Structures are given as C-alpha cells and as structure tokens.
Amino acid sequence: MKNKLILSFLITIFFNINIFSQEEFIYNIEGLKPEFIVVQATEYEQNDLYIKTINWVKKTFTNPNEVIKATIENEMIRIEGAKKDWLCVNSIGGSICTNALYVVEISFKKGKYKFEIISLKGISNNGNFEIDLNNGSIYYDKKGNLKSFSKETPNAISKLFNDLILDLNKNISNNENKDW
C-alpha cells in the first residue's frame, strides 16, 4: 500500500512538472501569446482526455450544460465561461470591478490536448467591451509603458487563462486512489 502511494505521488509530481514546464499565456502590447498551449499527457488516450475535460467542466462551472457551447465527441469541447470580479480597479469611493466572459476551445489527440483562447469580453455596469487578444497596444503609451488606467489589465488577462489551464491540468493529472 505504501509503495502504491509513493508511486502515485511520484507519477503526479512528474506529470505536474511536465505541465508546469509548459508555456504560459502572457498578455502584453503584442496581445496574448502564445495563441494556444499544447499539453502533453502521454499516459492518456484521446477519449480519456475528453472525458476528464467534460468532468472538469461539470466540477468547475455552476451550470455546465450552459457553459458547453459545442462538442465533437473525443475531439473538441468549446466552453463559454464567466469570472465574476475578474478585474477590479481602485477609484475614488471604492473599487470598480469588471466581470469576464471568455470562450476557450480544448481539442484532443492521443497523449495531448490543445487549450486555445477564442475570445474575451469585459462586462461592467458601463457596458460590454471586446478585448483584442491580438493587440494590447490600447493599454500602453507610445513609450511602451502601461497606461495608468490599465496597470492591472494585462496581468488579469494572463492570470485568467493561466488559472484555467492550470486547473484543467490538475484535474486531468489527478491520480488519487479511488478506493477510499
């Protein structure tokens, strides 16, 4: 039993090291880079990755049937998710927060999956606005410095998508003992 736990722990650590060594999403003046991340999960078949991702959606989102916008069984899942108070800015009289509405597509092949960002919108009391994922120059001045009104925006965009893929990676790599 002890050897099984140690082996399970080592496999989990190895898999997580592999995942953490992957690229991260970074949003800057050039937009969101990379456009997608491919995660190696060599111990899983294509259908296993698909099922684990469907289960992740069911565990992660309050209304998973509303979040899933398209599926091709064992090949692709497109989800539309939201993040409440995604970006908060301090102003006179308190904090002003914007929610996020995003679309991501996750595609599957044997031993790997691709996590691709399709779109991102900010939703606030002042209206909705599309965030250009291909060009972040609106948030920077001519010298390449962040404008004062947008100091948190690039990090918030990067963090949103990095947190999502990290959570998905953890769910897929979860090798805990099911014999509780």
Side-chain angles (χ1 to χ4, degrees):
M1 178 68 178
K2 185 177 179 181
N3 288 341
K4 277 185 173 181
L5 287 173
I6 291 171
L7 181 60
S8 177
F9 177 74
L10 290 175
I11 289 170
T12 302
I13 293 295
F14 174 75
F15 188 74
N16 283 335
I17 288 170
N18 185 27
I19 288 171
F20 289 127
S21 68
Q22 297 292 321
E23 294 178 85
E24 288 187 341
F25 291 108
I26 297 173
Y27 189 86
N28 58 28
I29 197 166
E30 297 171 359
L32 187 68
K33 302 292 183 226
E35 294 176 20
F36 59 85
I37 292 178
V38 175
V39 178
Q40 300 295 319
T42 53
E43 67 262 29
Y44 298 110
E45 296 293 323
Q46 185 171 340
N47 66 318
D48 294 330
L49 292 169
Y50 176 81
I51 290 167
K52 284 180 168 283
T53 302
I54 290 286
N55 289 339
W56 170 73
V57 170
K58 289 177 180 178
K59 285 191 271 186
T60 304
F61 298 95
T62 306
N63 298 308
N65 293 334
E66 293 176 20
V67 169
I68 296 174
K69 295 301 179 186
T71 61
I72 300 173
E73 190 170 344
N74 297 326
E75 290 184 29
M76 179 274 298
I77 299 169
R78 183 175 281 208
I79 63 171
E80 180 180 72
K83 173 106 173 127
K84 186 171 175 56
D85 297 336
W86 159 65
L87 177 62
C88 295
V89 179
N90 291 329
S91 70
I92 298 172
S95 220
I96 299 172
C97 293
T98 301
N99 299 327
L101 183 65
Y102 56 87
V103 176
V104 298
E105 187 171 290
I106 306 158
S107 304
F108 310 95
K109 291 192 178 186
K110 182 180 179 183
K112 61 185 174 181
Y113 57 97
K114 179 173 80 169
F115 191 92
E116 183 174 9
I117 313 308
I118 306 301
S119 67
L120 174 62
K121 289 182 184 175
I123 312 292
S124 72
N125 292 337
N126 297 332
N128 305 341
F129 54 96
E130 189 79 28
I131 294 178
D132 188 348
L133 296 176
N134 298 311
N135 182 352
S137 63
I138 189 172
Y139 304 111
Y140 293 84
D141 63 22
K142 292 180 182 184
K143 294 180 181 178
N145 299 315
L146 280 168
K147 294 178 181 176
S148 61
F149 76 89
S150 61
K151 289 208 181 285
E152 302 299 322
T153 305
N155 285 336
I157 294 169
S158 301
K159 183 174 177 5
L160 173 67
F161 296 123
N162 287 325
D163 287 352
L164 275 173
I165 194 170
L166 180 62
D167 193 49
L168 174 60
N169 291 341
K170 284 180 182 178
N171 187 76
I172 287 176
S173 67
N174 186 358
N175 292 320
E176 68 186 33
N177 187 351
K178 302 290 184 209
D179 296 333
W180 51 274

